[in-house]
Amino acid sequence: DAMVIQNPRYQVTQFGKPVTLSCSQTLNHNVMYWYQQKSSQAPKLLFHYYDKDFNNEADTPDNFQSRRPNTSFCFLDIRSPGLGDAAMYLCATSITSPLLGNEQFFGPGTRLTVL
Amino acid sequence: AQSVTQLGSHVSVSEGALVLLRCNYSSSVPPYLFWYVQYPNQGLQLLLKYTSAATLVKGINGFEAEFKKSETSFHLTKPSAHMSDAAEYFCAVSEGGYGGSQGNLIFGKGTKLSVKP
């Protein structure tokens, strides 16, 4: 089945130690998103790639970076995680099609713990 | 600017009772509207969506929603709640165009549904 895959599902890191979360998709969608979701809150968009074009949300901290080496993969790099960065990180994809109406397809998420 | 308001951060119903989760939106252009469900420690799963076709939209697991332009609402309903419906539900809106930031979803704050036996 076509899907969005996130690895790892659970990640523990130490305060200030860089960490990379990965997302891959078999849907061949041209848009990929990274969200941060804290407990009992809505997902907060960090950035997205429209094809190869990177779009950063204005309030996304510089501590967060992203890479998209090809259509299928996208990475979230947190350069110096702080305790406040502990959250669920969600990857999503979409395709520019009027039939799908901007529907986003979500992965299962990576739960990040910062010690 | 678009926005979404979900009335009630927590709704509790008895098993077999009607489920009604409220969502109101604001948008300067014809919107696309979505309901997503999230179970603990999982990603978001699409329940249903409105993309300017039929105003009454049927989704998975027996849920449906009606787009009412005059009321700027997109409330989610299910005639009979099941224990497995206990989860968090998010309403979202995006602009009617697509591509780039037009495709971004604006989420409501979510409603946690509890189902009592």
Side-chain angles (χ1 to χ4, degrees):
Chain A
D1 285 342
M3 56 175 52
V4 181
I5 302 160
Q6 290 189 245
N7 285 307
R9 293 292 316 278
Y10 298 90
Q11 176 73 58
V12 180
T13 191
Q14 292 180 336
F15 182 93
K17 185 176 181 180
V19 66
T20 294
L21 310 182
S22 73
C23 176
S24 64
Q25 54 130 339
T26 60
L27 297 163
N28 203 30
H29 285 175
N30 60 324
V31 191
M32 294 187 77
Y33 305 82
W34 278 106
Y35 291 88
Q36 178 192 65
Q37 185 181 28
K38 296 190 175 180
S39 182
S40 300
Q41 295 184 21
K44 177 180 180 297
L45 183 64
L46 295 173
F47 24 60
H48 74 276
Y49 277 93
Y50 182 75
D51 295 321
K52 293 182 179 180
D53 293 334
F54 177 71
N55 297 270
N56 197 38
E57 293 301 297
D59 57 354
T60 298
D62 292 339
N63 198 26
F64 292 84
Q65 305 286 320
S66 185
R67 297 170 282 135
R68 188 179 187 186
N70 53 53
T71 301
S72 301
F73 285 86
C74 196
F75 300 98
L76 170 61
D77 301 309
I78 308 177
R79 293 192 296 188
S80 182
L83 297 178
D85 297 327
M88 174 75 92
Y89 290 87
L90 297 167
C91 175
T93 70
S94 70
I95 189 166
T96 49
S97 163
L99 294 176
L100 290 177
N102 295 339
E103 176 184 347
Q104 291 187 15
F105 295 75
F106 285 81
T110 295
R111 170 76 63 188
L112 178 68
T113 300
V114 182
L115 301 177
Chain B
Q2 296 174 306
S3 67
V4 175
T5 301
Q6 290 185 240
L7 292 177
S9 59
H10 196 166
V11 170
S12 182
V13 301
S14 297
E15 192 172 20
L18 171 72
V19 175
L20 171 60
L21 304 183
R22 299 178 187 274
C23 173
N24 288 89
Y25 71 92
S26 69
S27 177
S28 58
V29 298
Y32 292 153
L33 293 159
F34 307 84
W35 275 101
Y36 285 88
V37 62
Q38 185 177 33
Y39 298 99
N41 284 316
Q42 294 188 26
L44 277 66
Q45 180 184 9
L46 183 73
L47 277 177
L48 48 80
K49 63 184 178 185
Y50 167 76
T51 57
S52 74
T55 57
L56 181 61
V57 181
K58 294 186 184 298
I60 62 171
N61 301 339
F63 285 94
E64 64 180 38
E66 186 172 8
F67 172 67
K68 292 187 176 180
K69 184 178 178 181
S70 60
E71 299 177 8
T72 61
S73 69
F74 191 58
H75 302 330
L76 181 71
T77 61
K78 182 174 180 178
S80 177
H82 192 271
M83 296 295 289
S84 61
D85 295 326
E88 185 126 30
Y89 292 79
F90 292 96
C91 181
V93 64
S94 76
E95 292 184 2
Y98 44 91
S101 296
Q102 289 183 317
N104 289 359
L105 294 180
I106 307 300
F107 286 95
K109 292 186 176 182
T111 298
K112 188 172 184 178
L113 176 66
S114 300
V115 182
K116 298 175 291 185

